[in-house]
Amino acid sequence: MFKNLTRTLVICLLALIVLMFLTLIVMSWPAIQKFGFSFIYSTEWNPVTEMFGALPIILGTLITSFIAILIAVPISFCIAIFLTQIIPAKISIVLAQVIELMAAIPSIIYGMWGLFVFAPFLSEYIQPYLINAFANIPVLNFIFGGYSIGIGVFTAGIILSFMIIPLISSVVRDVVNAVPSVMKEAAYSTGATRFEFVFKILLPYCKHGIFGALILGLGRALGETMAVTFIIGNSHQLFEGLFMPGTTISATIANEFAEAMGKIYPAALIELSLILFVITFIVLSISRYFLKRGGNQ
Amino acid sequence: MAIGDTSSLISSKIHISVKNLNFFYGKTQTLFNVNLDFHRNKITAIMGHSGSGKSTLLRILNRIYELYPEHHATGEVIFEGKNILDKRYDVEKLRTRIGMVFQKPTPFPMSIYNNIAFALKNNQKLSNFSMNKRVRKSLGQATLWKEVKEDLKRSGTALSGGQQQRLCIARTLAMQPDILLLDEPTSALDPISTEKVETVILELAKTYTVILVTHNLRQAERVADFVVFMKEGEIKEASEKKEFFNNPQRKSTQTFLKYF
Amino acid sequence: MSMFDDKKRMRRHTLNTIFTVICYISVAIGVAVLASTMYTLFSKGIMAINLSLFIENLPPLGADGGLKNAILGSLIITVSAVVISAPIGILIATNLTEFPTKGKLGSAVRFVNDILLSAPSIIIGLFVYSIVVRALGHFSALAGIIALALIAIPMIVRTSEDVMKIIPSNLREAAVSLGVPRWKVTVFVIYKTAKAGLITGVILAMARVAGETAPLLFTVLNNQFPNYNILTPMANLPVVMFQYAMSPYENSQQLAWAAAFLITMAILFTNILTRFFFSRSRNK
């Protein structure tokens, strides 16, 4: 019966995610067994002695994603406000399509562009000044330290932000468009400026939806592979400065899986992906919760 | 008259009969112990305010409520000696015998011809000639034939609202059902289309049993033989039209009729 | 009092202007990034476009050659993935809209679907590696097809459900109340009504998976030689871009840019065409 066919496929979908989780656990078992929890806090990454620790990698993922969110959220928010509050509806629809096209570009293109165009640009025009500016301030000169070679944690963070800007801004746009227009009319009829309307009325009203969008962007940034792999530099050193090379979970896997020999090395890489899966799962669930709350105002 | 006695049923005055019907939406009960008989070849109008349960009752008669998992009914609906609410009853067959027309016109995304032929093809093996005849006949019964006969290939969705509704009626009539359920069939139409549809309904009663849900008192007065008044999921009053309008028994009916 | 009011009003006005300017700048940044990427793609890509791209096969790193087997490989893998994922995705969405269940099955499915939709594609690649590549003993186009299908299915479920759930329930009820079997109602009435949206969703999913690299890295990898047996590795554009762009050879990098250009143009074209065509038919 037709209904049963559709029902079976639905059950298969549910089984799929369980299967994915289980498979990753089974495949990473040799590494889990060998390292236990030390995998998470160890910094040693040595394929020869088969000792693997993921701390720099996890940290790299978190730092690049944090940078990406820091940059992307204000820009995406402002773009969404621009599209919904500043320009007339007809132009807004066209411009919104342009932003969506940005999202349609495969991430590997951003990676290539980053490597051949953006990183050299940064290394010549931006990084030297930033490094010099903080050179004599303790702590900050460590954070903003490194060489202006272009590739590195900082560049990766920025490229990531470019990738999630279309996503966050389109979700925020949807959230803002769902606000009843009476709110806007009521606010402006009291003489509020656009700035006041957006920050005193719109933002508080949409805060759940906007937060959900933010977290969704974070989820995307955490798992992004191709854009980051080209420009992060693939170094397993613990954070040495924004302008030094680093690595993320997905970049490590992409760069090293093909040549991972033996039993422990691939298992360690798959354990990395398991950690990423769990983190992403949690982040996406949080995002979903807030987006749902934002929608049911 | 015993329930199993089919010979007397065929000539009996009662076509379909509701017994001890209760209806639930999840945990909420919306119909309470409904007992009602519908007379053969007569038009019975079911009236009441919004939320009184009149559409709910109608939708039980062809078990269309089963599309929604939270809805369920207890009790019996006896049609030709059998309880149609029984799980073993062939519900697809039932729906070819008891047809329904909805409030909003719902033309299928097909040509006018195919709108009518779609369900027919499924049910009966008709030759091209017979099919054409059947389409023509049902469009004629719905008084739509003259308006569309030039181009039956036109999409059903290209018709006006009133025409679409008459197409839906033709579609249902083509199945040659025994009973017609009409759920506020004219409330989405303009007055001229309404009048056309009401004429069709009156004509139909000669061959079919019609059960009509309407909130329009004047429509019931114009068209019905029997009137049923429902309030909050209960049958408050059910009688012949003249009795109903001139001599209502219950207080709630009298209040309702004040709007007349 | 009036001087204070004026000062305050000026302050509010200034804040507002600053904010508006920031918004304009934000959009400018977005557009600038898009423009720069497109410009780079065009300038580096067009330079590398010539007839030999479509005639010759992949060369080893450092040598000259074409993209023929990679283009064909990408076509085969992408189209196959879509052919598998479209019916599955649509049928799952059908279950959600046409046959809803009383309990929490529906919300569980939507939840899982959302997770799979936004999950990093590298995880799906590793999953398929763990099962298909290990079972076969080597990389294969089949593994890549399965990986891309697993990425496409949640997308198609989402877009299909969105377009089917706005169909008025009366239409479904009208068809069912004529005694038509459910599958016919779904196919001839529901799918027909939702046709434009369903097709758009499938095409957009195809455009999206065409550019995915990470899942292919662990399932298909690459193949220098023209080989169209899906049980073996097959050349494809995304992995070519990855391997050749990272190489130190100028001509290999050029090949990578050519591949990037081709694929991006194909994707953008598909997106623009679909949105343009199908939004027009929807606004009839």
Side-chain angles (χ1 to χ4, degrees):
Chain A
M1 245 178 58
F2 186 59
K3 176 174 169 179
N4 289 339
L5 171 65
T6 64
R7 177 74 85 75
T8 313
L9 288 173
V10 161
I11 306 282
C12 285
L13 191 70
L14 292 175
L16 178 68
I17 203 170
V18 174
L19 186 63
M20 274 176 68
F21 194 59
L22 288 176
T23 309
L24 290 180
I25 294 182
V26 165
M27 294 291 289
S28 49
W29 193 248
I32 298 178
Q33 228 181 5
K34 182 168 181 186
F35 305 113
F37 275 111
S38 76
F39 191 66
I40 300 188
Y41 56 73
S42 158
T43 60
E44 187 180 355
W45 189 268
N46 194 331
V48 177
T49 63
E50 290 196 323
M51 290 301 292
F52 299 106
L55 185 62
I57 307 175
I58 299 178
L59 213 55
T61 305
L62 294 175
I63 294 177
T64 49
S65 303
F66 178 69
I67 297 175
I69 287 286
L70 208 59
I71 300 176
V73 167
I75 296 183
S76 312
F77 181 69
C78 292
I79 292 181
I81 297 296
F82 183 83
L83 288 175
T84 55
Q85 311 293 322
I86 298 184
I87 53 173
K90 287 212 171 95
I91 309 181
S92 167
I93 295 180
V94 172
L95 207 53
Q97 297 280 23
V98 171
I99 306 274
E100 297 224 350
L101 283 182
M102 249 180 96
I105 297 176
S107 47
I108 190 172
I109 308 287
Y110 283 102
M112 287 167 69
W113 173 77
L115 181 63
F116 288 96
V117 174
F118 194 62
F121 168 74
L122 280 187
S123 80
E124 201 171 318
Y125 296 104
I126 312 279
Q127 286 178 340
Y129 299 105
L130 282 176
I131 296 177
N132 283 334
F134 293 100
N136 296 317
I137 310 173
V139 179
L140 281 179
N141 65 359
F142 169 68
I143 297 180
F144 286 91
Y147 308 104
S148 59
I149 44 176
I151 61 176
V153 174
F154 181 66
T155 317
I158 300 188
I159 298 278
L160 262 188
S161 76
F162 291 153
M163 294 207 59
I164 63 178
I165 284 174
L167 175 66
I168 300 182
S169 75
S170 91
V171 178
V172 172
R173 227 182 102 234
D174 286 343
V175 171
V176 170
N177 274 333
V179 173
S181 50
V182 284
M183 289 215 98
K184 187 171 167 181
E185 292 162 16
Y188 284 127
S189 60
T190 65
T193 63
R194 185 186 297 121
F195 174 78
E196 285 158 1
F197 168 62
V198 168
F199 284 93
K200 296 210 167 99
I201 297 179
L202 194 61
L203 196 52
Y205 187 80
C206 296
K207 62 175 187 268
H208 290 123
I210 292 180
F211 188 66
L214 200 158
I215 301 289
L216 189 64
L218 176 66
R220 173 80 196 273
L222 288 169
E224 180 48 55
T225 313
M226 295 325 294
V228 174
T229 308
F230 276 87
I231 45 178
I232 191 122
N234 205 30
S235 145
H236 284 272
Q237 297 294 93
L238 200 51
F239 183 69
E240 298 175 313
L242 281 178
F243 304 112
M244 293 293 277
T247 189
T248 67
I249 294 179
S250 29
T252 308
I253 301 176
N255 273 319
E256 299 180 28
F257 196 77
E259 276 123 32
M261 296 294 149
K263 226 169 168 235
I264 303 289
Y265 197 0
L269 290 174
I270 297 190
E271 190 180 348
L272 277 179
S273 78
L274 183 63
I275 295 176
L276 180 63
F277 194 26
V278 170
I279 297 178
T280 316
F281 192 93
I282 297 175
V283 168
L284 288 177
S285 306
I286 297 177
S287 155
R288 207 162 176 271
Y289 171 74
F290 278 100
L291 283 175
K292 283 234 145 79
R293 275 191 74 182
N296 295 338
Q297 291 260 349
Chain B
M1 179 187 67
I3 288 294
D5 188 350
T6 46
S7 60
S8 57
L9 271 174
I10 292 168
S11 57
S12 90
K13 289 211 220 124
I14 303 298
H15 205 163
I16 185 170
S17 180
V18 177
K19 296 199 182 310
N20 304 322
L21 183 70
N22 291 290
F23 190 77
F24 301 84
Y25 174 73
K27 292 224 160 66
T28 319
Q29 185 163 0
T30 53
L31 286 182
F32 300 85
N33 200 24
V34 173
N35 284 281
L36 202 51
D37 291 334
F38 295 95
H39 291 251
R40 191 180 294 272
N41 284 17
K42 296 281 182 221
I43 303 180
T44 306
I46 305 181
M47 309 207 57
H49 294 298
S50 303
S52 54
K54 48 192 202 294
S55 283
T56 312
L57 176 57
L58 201 73
R59 291 157 65 88
I60 293 176
L61 298 178
N62 67 349
R63 285 173 62 176
I64 199 75
Y65 70 88
E66 284 178 358
L67 285 179
Y68 308 99
E70 322 83 43
H71 295 191
H72 70 274
T74 65
E76 293 185 323
V77 176
I78 309 293
F79 176 59
E80 291 178 347
K82 297 211 184 76
N83 174 20
I84 65 171
L85 293 186
D86 193 316
K87 287 262 178 269
R88 291 163 292 176
Y89 198 100
D90 185 347
V91 69
E92 275 169 24
K93 195 101 188 287
L94 172 71
R95 291 170 182 148
T96 63
R97 310 285 307 284
I98 301 185
M100 184 176 245
V101 176
F102 297 81
Q103 185 175 348
K104 279 216 176 82
T106 53
F108 298 147
M110 310 165 183
S111 66
I112 295 173
Y113 186 94
N114 279 333
N115 256 275
I116 302 185
F118 176 56
L120 265 183
K121 273 188 204 150
N122 192 59
N123 193 33
Q124 301 168 29
K125 273 222 156 355
L126 293 177
S127 65
N128 267 343
F129 178 70
S130 308
M131 182 69 80
N132 290 345
K133 252 180 71 178
R134 191 73 80 86
V135 169
R136 192 191 189 295
K137 178 177 177 201
S138 48
L139 283 171
Q141 281 178 300
T143 70
L144 191 59
W145 174 250
K146 283 212 180 73
E147 291 165 53
V148 299
K149 67 179 185 191
E150 299 299 312
D151 189 5
L152 290 178
K153 287 218 170 72
R154 202 157 42 122
S155 169
T157 51
L159 299 171
S160 76
Q163 288 175 321
Q164 286 181 1
Q165 188 64 312
R166 280 179 282 148
L167 175 63
C168 294
I169 295 177
R171 206 167 58 187
T172 313
L173 292 177
M175 304 298 292
Q176 296 182 335
D178 301 311
I179 300 180
L180 277 177
L181 308 175
L182 308 176
D183 193 350
E184 304 206 32
T186 58
S187 62
L189 302 178
D190 61 272
I192 298 181
S193 306
T194 302
E195 202 189 311
K196 285 195 178 145
V197 171
E198 282 182 8
T199 316
V200 172
I201 295 176
L202 280 169
E203 197 46 44
L204 292 177
K206 297 186 184 150
T207 355
Y208 306 92
T209 300
V210 177
I211 304 175
L212 166 74
V213 163
T214 179
H215 63 257
N216 186 336
L217 281 167
R218 293 198 183 274
Q219 182 170 82
E221 216 266 331
R222 280 195 289 268
V223 154
D225 300 306
F226 291 89
V227 184
V228 174
F229 174 62
M230 290 184 69
K231 188 174 175 195
E232 288 164 2
E234 292 181 330
I235 308 284
K236 295 292 185 190
E237 187 138 1
S239 51
E240 286 195 46
K241 174 173 67 183
K242 282 211 168 61
E243 269 275 324
F244 185 86
F245 284 105
N246 297 333
N247 194 13
Q249 300 290 312
R250 305 283 295 269
K251 188 123 188 273
S252 40
T253 322
Q254 293 164 3
T255 321
F256 182 70
L257 284 176
K258 283 224 181 79
Y259 293 107
F260 192 33
Chain C
M1 258 311 243
S2 112
M3 216 172 77
F4 176 72
D5 277 344
D6 275 344
K7 255 201 191 150
K8 187 150 190 237
R9 205 182 311 139
M10 253 186 67
R11 211 186 110 227
R12 290 171 59 202
H13 184 76
T14 319
L15 265 177
N16 193 48
T17 316
I18 296 179
F19 176 60
T20 310
V21 168
I22 293 180
C23 286
Y24 271 93
I25 294 180
S26 305
V27 174
I29 294 178
V31 172
V33 169
L34 182 64
S36 176
T37 346
M38 290 287 97
Y39 175 73
T40 312
L41 205 55
F42 263 90
S43 56
K44 286 198 191 283
I46 292 236
M47 262 190 350
I49 299 280
N50 50 48
L51 203 54
S52 67
L53 269 186
F54 300 96
I55 300 181
E56 292 179 43
N57 288 315
L58 281 178
L61 284 177
D64 287 323
L67 290 174
K68 182 173 101 171
N69 52 341
I71 297 175
L72 282 174
S74 268
L75 273 172
I76 294 178
I77 296 176
T78 311
V79 171
S80 310
V82 166
V83 162
I84 299 177
S85 54
I88 297 180
I90 294 179
L91 283 174
I92 293 180
T94 306
N95 183 285
L96 292 174
T97 59
E98 301 297 303
F99 304 106
T101 49
K102 217 197 303 201
K104 296 273 183 160
L105 188 64
S107 40
V109 175
R110 287 189 191 93
F111 175 72
V112 166
N113 196 59
D114 277 354
I115 302 285
L116 286 172
L117 185 68
S118 313
S121 54
I122 196 170
I123 295 181
I124 300 197
L126 283 179
F127 167 66
V128 176
Y129 167 84
S130 309
I131 301 198
V132 180
V133 176
R134 302 240 319 185
L136 277 180
H138 52 82
F139 293 109
S140 61
L142 180 65
I145 293 172
I146 295 178
L148 290 187
L150 289 180
I151 296 178
I153 287 175
M155 292 182 68
I156 296 179
V157 170
R158 207 9 149 43
T159 54
S160 304
E161 197 200 354
D162 279 348
V163 81
M164 287 200 288
K165 74 181 177 197
I166 57 175
I167 296 180
S169 53
N170 271 342
L171 188 60
R172 183 185 309 120
E173 290 176 3
V176 172
S177 57
L178 286 169
V180 179
R182 287 309 299 270
W183 74 267
K184 275 198 188 170
V185 171
T186 309
V187 172
F188 293 104
V189 177
I190 303 289
Y191 287 167
K192 205 138 180 262
T193 309
K195 193 167 67 166
L198 290 177
I199 296 181
T200 310
V202 170
I203 295 183
L204 289 179
M206 183 167 77
R208 162 82 186 273
V209 295
E212 286 283 344
T213 317
L216 296 183
L217 275 180
F218 312 109
T219 50
V220 190
L221 207 54
N222 204 353
N223 191 339
Q224 217 183 295
F225 305 102
N227 188 331
Y228 306 112
N229 176 0
I230 61 169
L231 290 177
T232 61
M234 200 185 286
N236 58 82
L237 291 172
V239 176
V240 164
M241 290 194 279
F242 181 66
Q243 291 177 337
Y244 285 49
M246 297 262 256
S247 76
Y249 306 105
E250 174 102 27
N251 45 13
S252 297
Q253 288 174 4
Q254 224 183 30
L255 219 48
W257 281 109
F261 181 75
L262 284 177
I263 255 215
T264 310
M265 287 302 114
I267 292 178
L268 285 183
F269 226 55
T270 312
N271 263 285
I272 296 176
L273 269 176
T274 323
R275 287 177 206 268
F276 185 62
F277 263 129
F278 284 100
S279 71
R280 271 171 96 206
S281 71
R282 239 182 292 179
N283 294 338
K284 241 194 297 207

